[in-house]
Amino acid sequence: MTFQKLVIGASMAIGMSALATAPAHATSFSFNNTAEINTYTGGSKGTFIKGNAQGGTDAAIKALTDNNSSSNVELWYSTENPTSNVGFTATEGNYSATVSSVTANDWNTFGSQWLGDLLNTYTPFKTVWNGFSATTQSLVASYFPSLGMGDPNIGSFQFGQNGGVELSLVGHLDVKTKLSDTLSTKLNEAWTGGVKSLFPGKTILPTALEVQTQISTLQLTLNSPLTPASKKATLSTQIAQLTSFKDLLNFKTALNAYQGEIGASEIAKVVTGGQTSYAYSFNSTASGITASDDGISYSAYYTWHTPGYVKQVPESSVILGLLGVAGVFATQRKFKKASI
């Protein structure tokens, strides 16, 4: 019995010592604007907790660290088009990372990268895009901030080895409708903003073929020797306007004809180790749930991490400590067998 007590005591001492001396890896969070933070508690019957309500930040931290991606934190709650970078800063030991919403200024920085990745993922649209005039490409790029993708829902956050970061982004399984609605809005704005005046008597949007016919007519007038130079500048502007309008009509037609899903996450700005990245993904995983308020949101998860991210593993001292504690029960079992 004395020997048994000594063995058990030694095992406990080794185990507890290893656990006590293992470096702490708890992640702390701070939020820069709790009024624009909104937490969803998870599942299809979850509830929403505002960041500036009682227990709001505690709920947000739990959602970010509970290993349940359906519980998530929305950064910039009031609208879908953030005007400032709202989010949180996570700190763990010497590591720090700031995750925030995406503004129009951010789109100016990374929009071409995002578009290139989108077209490389959904190649049927690449041919359509390459057929656009430079004016149309620039015009479409200016639509990016209005897509409503800069207010990300973060389902989880964790540091990896060497300070890398991994995020789970919660969003829609198929954003085709969102993209189509944006194009419809921009087409209607262009129509009422000047294109309609080039189609007297027409009350609905013209087809791409009708627009091309009008472009051809204007080009004939532009190239006619009878057309005064003072009018040619106006004709050139009208032709460019109609060309972009036709391109958008063709893009919308291709989008509506696409049979597959278009998975595209919302986007978060991530600053870590002095480097700025934009977290997004086109590789969706069905979540099997929808949000309790609209029955549509949160239908997909997207995972993003910094380049070279390596998931953390338990410290060897912690493992040894756990093994030491486990050894107590193994030793007890052996002694019991020996005493029979």
Side-chain angles (χ1 to χ4, degrees), residues 56-249:
T57 55
D58 290 339
I61 293 170
K62 180 181 178 182
L64 292 170
T65 58
D66 62 3
N67 294 318
N68 173 17
S69 291
S70 69
S71 60
N72 62 83
V73 180
E74 183 175 13
L75 309 181
W76 190 270
Y77 166 68
S78 58
T79 67
E80 288 193 335
N81 301 304
T83 57
S84 65
N85 298 116
V86 166
F88 60 86
T89 296
T91 304
E92 182 180 291
N94 295 325
Y95 304 145
S96 178
T98 298
V99 180
S100 64
S101 53
V102 170
T103 67
N105 285 336
D106 292 319
W107 274 107
N108 292 335
T109 300
F110 82 98
S112 59
Q113 168 195 320
W114 179 86
L115 176 64
D117 290 342
L118 174 71
L119 295 175
N120 287 331
T121 303
Y122 300 103
T123 53
F125 301 110
K126 198 166 189 176
T127 300
V128 179
W129 176 264
N130 290 339
F132 286 173
S133 67
T135 300
T136 303
Q137 291 181 348
S138 178
L139 183 65
V140 172
S142 72
Y143 297 163
F144 292 164
S146 65
L147 290 176
M149 302 175 75
D151 57 334
N153 293 76
I154 311 299
S156 67
F157 172 95
Q158 60 182 341
F159 283 107
Q161 294 183 24
N162 301 320
V165 166
E166 182 178 78
L167 301 178
S168 173
L169 300 159
V170 184
H172 294 291
L173 191 61
D174 188 357
V175 298
K176 185 164 55 180
T177 299
K178 179 188 283 285
L179 295 174
S180 181
D181 289 347
T182 298
L183 283 175
S184 293
T185 298
K186 297 304 180 181
L187 281 166
N188 286 325
E189 289 176 356
W191 173 248
T192 58
V195 173
K196 186 176 180 179
S197 64
L198 301 176
F199 293 85
K202 194 167 183 63
T203 58
I204 61 174
L205 295 183
T207 65
L209 181 59
E210 289 174 323
V211 176
Q212 182 55 55
T213 299
Q214 183 69 346
I215 290 173
S216 298
T217 299
L218 293 177
Q219 286 175 330
L220 286 174
T221 305
L222 175 66
N223 295 327
S224 171
L226 300 177
T227 302
S230 59
K231 190 178 180 179
K232 289 189 175 184
T234 299
L235 287 169
S236 295
T237 299
Q238 291 173 338
I239 290 171
Q241 185 180 28
L242 286 173
T243 299
S244 290
F245 192 78
K246 181 192 70 173
D247 288 343
L248 291 181
L249 286 171

